[in-house]
Amino acid sequence: MLGPYGWDPIATAFLEDGKYRSASENHYTVGSYEVSGDRIEISAVIVQHGKVRTVFGEKKEKIDLKFKGEIEGDQMKGQARNDKGAYEVSFRTTRLADLP
């Protein structure tokens, strides 16, 4: 995610059969995704189980998330918003491997 000091790696995600899952030492995210051509949309819930940090302007254990972006080869780039749509964060991902 793009933070005040540049791009910051925050999690590893798995996308398979419409399911989106990601995690780090402080959170996990579960949801679903849809792909249409080179566009992707993800709807998910972030659950912070470690130190609860302010994300998307909120300091909550659970935050609803919407991500809209585009797929370019092995990268996805786009914007994520909280359920209120008040805050937007730039995200980019890089495919590490295909699931067997």
Side-chain angles (χ1 to χ4, degrees), residues 28-90:
Y28 65 89
T29 305
V30 294
S32 61
Y33 72 93
E34 291 185 19
V35 174
S36 178
D38 65 350
R39 304 289 305 162
I40 185 166
E41 291 191 22
I42 299 169
S43 295
V45 176
I46 300 170
V47 179
Q48 297 189 80
H49 56 79
K51 179 181 175 184
V52 176
R53 300 178 345 187
T54 301
V55 181
F56 298 102
E58 300 178 288
K59 191 169 189 174
K60 295 171 42 179
E61 288 183 10
K62 291 185 178 182
I63 300 172
D64 290 326
L65 169 77
K66 300 283 186 199
F67 173 87
K68 292 184 179 183
E70 59 185 43
I71 301 168
E72 298 175 1
D74 284 342
Q75 285 201 332
M76 289 190 319
K77 298 176 184 178
Q79 305 296 315
R81 292 178 178 250
N82 63 343
D83 60 339
K84 297 174 182 64
Y87 293 91
E88 186 173 85
V89 176
S90 294

Side-chain angles (χ1 to χ4, degrees), residues 11-24 29-33 40 42 76 93-94 96-100:
T12 298
F14 298 89
L15 287 75
E16 182 178 31
D17 297 330
K19 296 176 187 171
Y20 176 87
R21 309 286 185 259
S22 74
S24 74
T29 305
V30 294
S32 61
Y33 72 93
I40 185 166
I42 299 169
M76 289 190 319
T93 65
T94 301
L96 299 176
D98 290 325
L99 297 175

Side-chain angles (χ1 to χ4, degrees), residues 1-3 6-12 23-25 27 53 91-92:
M1 114 177 148
L2 185 58
W7 289 103
D8 190 17
I10 59 166
T12 298
S24 74
E25 69 275 4
H27 87 282
R53 300 178 345 187
F91 274 83
R92 70 179 182 190

